[in-house]
Amino acid sequence: MTTILSGYATLHGALRAAERRWLRHLDAALCARQLSPDQWSMLCNLSSETGITMSELANRSQLAPSSATRHADCLAERGLIFRVAAEEDRRRILIGLSRLGAELVAAVRAEEEIAERQLQAKIGVRRFAELKRVLELVAEA
């Protein structure tokens, strides 16, 4: 027997719907910068100070390694990320945000923060904090 909550038969359905609706808040910002949600996820998981491996980036971004590699190639062509050999093992390639990539992330994050403040105003500060806490628990489970 399936219990339907708020029109969604499963937790998966509710989470997917929430993610898609949330991404609509960022759609204009991402489209204006010719970024897909997956590319945005990758950029959000990078730093301009230290690089990480492609497998670590794929894992953090919740992407298949082949998809992450394809997106990284596109981001590198646009000059948004850097690839550099690790000092301790020159065979390992580390990826990080270029200066241009860091500027782009800052600009989109500013728009994302506006959307977050709007949601926080709509549902309240305590419920917003609880939502983030519960989603972190779900992600860790």
Side-chain angles (χ1 to χ4, degrees), residues 29-48:
L30 296 180
C31 286
R33 292 160 179 91
Q34 300 175 337
L35 291 173
S36 71
D38 287 344
Q39 291 170 335
W40 173 240
S41 178
M42 289 177 63
L43 291 172
C44 287
N45 283 290
L46 290 172
S47 164
S48 58

Side-chain angles (χ1 to χ4, degrees), residues 84-94:
V84 63
E87 288 183 22
E88 68 279 357
D89 181 354
R90 306 293 292 164
R91 294 171 295 175
R92 282 187 45 219
I93 303 299
L94 301 178

Side-chain angles (χ1 to χ4, degrees), residues 1-22 24:
M1 180 172 104
T2 301
T3 303
I4 297 180
L5 301 171
S6 301
Y8 303 102
T10 63
L11 177 61
H12 176 258
L15 289 171
R16 293 270 301 164
E19 178 187 30
R20 287 175 189 256
R21 182 162 291 237
W22 181 252
R24 283 189 208 136

Side-chain angles (χ1 to χ4, degrees), residues 44-77:
C44 287
N45 283 290
L46 290 172
S47 164
S48 58
E49 297 169 13
T50 57
I52 60 174
T53 64
M54 179 57 73
S55 58
E56 186 176 352
L57 178 58
N59 187 44
R60 287 183 186 183
S61 302
Q62 304 293 306
L63 295 171
S66 60
S67 293
T69 299
R70 187 176 64 255
H71 289 308
D73 289 343
C74 180
L75 296 171
E77 287 174 14

